[in-house]
Coordinates of all heavy atoms in Angstrom, one line a residue:
Chain A
N202 N -4.6 13.8 -21.0 CA -5.3 14.3 -19.8 C -6.6 13.5 -19.6 O -7.7 14.0 -19.9 CB -5.6 15.8 -20.0 CG -4.4 16.7 -19.7 OD1 -4.0 16.7 -18.6 ND2 -3.9 17.3 -20.8
E237 N -19.9 -25.5 -18.2 CA -19.5 -26.5 -19.2 C -18.1 -26.3 -19.7 O -17.3 -27.2 -19.9 CB -20.5 -26.5 -20.3 CG -21.8 -27.1 -19.9 CD -22.7 -27.5 -21.1 OE1 -22.1 -27.6 -22.2 OE2 -23.9 -27.8 -20.9
E241 N -12.4 -18.6 -16.9 CA -11.2 -18.1 -16.2 C -11.3 -16.6 -16.0 O -11.7 -15.9 -16.9 CB -9.9 -18.5 -16.9 CG -9.7 -20.0 -17.0 CD -8.3 -20.3 -17.3 OE1 -7.6 -19.4 -17.9 OE2 -7.8 -21.4 -17.0
H248 N -2.1 -2.0 -20.0 CA -1.3 -0.8 -20.4 C -1.0 -0.8 -21.9 O -0.9 0.3 -22.6 CB -0.1 -0.6 -19.6 CG 0.9 -1.7 -19.7 ND1 0.5 -3.0 -19.3 CD2 2.2 -1.8 -20.1 CE1 1.6 -3.8 -19.5 NE2 2.5 -3.1 -20.0

Side-chain angles (χ1 to χ4, degrees):
Chain A
N202 280 295
E237 286 198 14
E241 293 198 339
H248 61 300

